[in-house]
Amino acid sequence: MRNEIPKFVKWAGGKGQLLDQFEPLFPKKFNRYLEPFVGSGAVFYYVIQKFKPKEIIISDINEELINAYEIVKTDVERLIVELKQHKEYHMVEGKKYYLTIRATNPNDLPALERAARFIYLNKTCFNGLYRVNSKGKFNVPIGSYKNPSIFQENDLVELSKILKKVKILKMNFEKVLDYAKAGDF
């Protein structure tokens, strides 16, 4: 089965190419699905398509990533407007614009702008890496894309619909395991 729901971010260590190898390890029946390292969501998307669990909890410790998932879930229309602006400015100013956005402190931005910044940087940085320095500042150089695909509007709208039924948590994997009960995957 192919993972038909495109991911809205690239993520180092993503599992998309390993899903066929993982499937035999997945339980055939389960009550809820808990994803402790959601990243780009490759396994999450695969599981919801194949197994259609009634309850889903996704989580990650990365605050920027979780904020982006929350905004896709709750405010996708305005997020798309923000991403279109990033795309326009990037096409005109390129590296100069990238460095300006990268230097912006995400803590100084409202959640919507913070999510748009995160997605823009993820789709234009080198290999979709997420890396911060010892001061917590994103420091990945710009990628060498001529026309980066910053977002796909239809994909974001579809993902927003899917996420309406999903609980999204920002926490480390050990705490997520506290949510697990017998019969969960």
Side-chain angles (χ1 to χ4, degrees):
M1 173 180 200
R2 287 203 66 97
N3 192 12
E4 297 169 8
I5 302 171
K7 296 158 283 305
F8 76 106
V9 291
K10 297 187 284 183
W11 208 250
K15 308 296 182 281
Q17 296 177 345
L18 301 172
L19 291 168
D20 290 336
Q21 294 173 30
F22 290 166
E23 186 173 353
L25 305 172
F26 293 165
K28 301 297 179 231
K29 284 182 142 186
F30 52 90
N31 298 323
R32 301 181 312 155
Y33 176 69
L34 289 79
E35 172 66 66
F37 305 101
V38 72
S40 68
V43 177
F44 157 62
Y45 300 137
Y46 185 84
V47 167
I48 64 171
Q49 288 178 67
K50 175 96 178 167
F51 300 101
K52 299 177 180 27
K54 290 182 175 99
E55 188 177 345
I56 304 160
I57 300 171
I58 62 172
S59 63
D60 205 287
I61 197 166
N62 185 310
E63 187 174 342
E64 295 297 309
L65 177 65
I66 291 301
N67 177 63
Y69 271 101
E70 283 287 353
I71 294 300
V72 170
K73 176 181 179 175
T74 62
D75 205 355
V76 73
E77 294 85 10
R78 289 186 356 167
L79 176 63
I80 289 167
V81 170
E82 291 283 327
L83 290 170
K84 283 179 181 177
Q85 290 176 342
H86 280 303
K87 173 104 175 158
E88 286 177 28
Y89 286 121
H90 182 84
M91 296 313 291
V92 173
E93 298 181 33
K95 186 175 182 178
K96 179 181 175 191
Y97 183 72
Y98 175 87
L99 294 174
T100 299
I101 298 304
R102 186 180 79 173
T104 304
N105 184 344
N107 295 322
D108 294 340
L109 300 173
L112 174 71
E113 292 175 27
R114 188 176 185 173
R117 174 190 179 270
F118 174 80
I119 294 168
Y120 164 73
L121 290 174
N122 174 266
K123 292 298 192 115
T124 56
C125 74
F126 177 76
N127 282 348
L129 293 176
Y130 183 85
R131 182 184 69 202
V132 294
N133 62 21
S134 61
K135 295 178 182 169
K137 297 191 185 261
F138 184 80
N139 66 356
V140 179
I142 191 169
S144 58
Y145 314 107
K146 291 185 176 158
N147 185 15
S149 175
I150 296 171
F151 72 103
Q152 298 296 320
E153 188 168 341
N154 292 339
D155 295 346
L156 285 175
V157 170
E158 183 64 26
L159 178 57
S160 180
K161 291 175 189 171
I162 291 166
L163 290 173
K164 300 279 191 247
K165 302 171 189 167
V166 174
K167 186 171 190 171
I168 303 170
L169 303 172
K170 183 219 160 267
M171 61 178 54
N172 79 27
F173 74 95
E174 291 166 327
K175 292 190 181 199
V176 174
L177 295 178
D178 292 340
Y179 282 79
K181 302 174 189 168
D184 288 349
F185 172 37

